Amino acid sequence: MDKRQKNAVSQYNRLIKESHDLASTVGRTQNELGMAKDIWRDIQKKLAMEPNKRVLEIGCGYGELTETMLEGYNKYNQNVTLLDIESVITAIKNNFSNYLNDNIELI
């Protein structure tokens, strides 16, 4: 990573550690909460979600959308690999553990 990318990652790490709600972790405002369900519906249409498919989520992030997607992946019994920086994966493990199962791999 170049200096600019490292700076962006370090700022993202700081936001995750300081967050008090899911919106603040990704720099969204409170009035943008609730959009995750609309985004998830769009993803379902585009991917033609069916049970037992494999999904790779690169840069999954941590926030309302990630929680909504994890819930949906479980509903469809998806085999999912979520990929992100260590602090994001740790936040997912700590805060969304009720959605994690053998079908969900965190890297």
Side-chain angles (χ1 to χ4, degrees):
M1 283 192 286
D2 64 23
K3 185 177 179 179
R4 185 172 150 231
Q5 291 168 320
K6 287 180 182 178
N7 185 44
V9 168
S10 68
Q11 288 181 28
Y12 191 64
N13 280 326
R14 183 184 51 77
L15 283 170
I16 290 168
K17 290 176 185 172
E18 296 174 358
S19 69
H20 301 289
D21 58 57
L22 295 179
S24 66
T25 63
V26 291
R28 292 186 177 138
T29 59
Q30 286 294 331
N31 64 345
E32 291 177 299
L33 285 173
M35 294 173 62
K37 300 240 185 253
D38 293 331
I39 295 168
W40 174 244
R41 279 191 290 274
D42 186 51
I43 290 169
Q44 290 177 81
K45 288 177 191 173
K46 289 178 178 171
L47 295 181
M49 299 296 275
E50 296 173 6
N52 302 312
K53 279 193 173 180
R54 182 119 186 102
V55 176
L56 172 62
E57 178 71 28
I58 300 173
C60 61
Y62 165 76
E64 182 188 25
L65 179 58
T66 304
E67 182 177 27
T68 300
M69 292 173 75
L70 284 168
E71 182 180 19
Y73 293 144
N74 281 311
K75 176 183 173 188
Y76 287 99
N77 196 32
Q78 300 290 317
N79 293 303
V80 180
T81 300
L82 301 175
L83 176 67
D84 213 313
I85 59 176
E86 183 179 353
S87 57
V88 171
I89 297 302
T90 300
I92 290 170
K93 288 177 182 176
N94 291 338
N95 296 290
F96 301 145
S97 60
N98 56 317
Y99 297 109
L100 302 179
N101 58 47
D102 291 339
N103 292 339
I104 305 213
E105 178 183 19
L106 302 171
I107 298 175

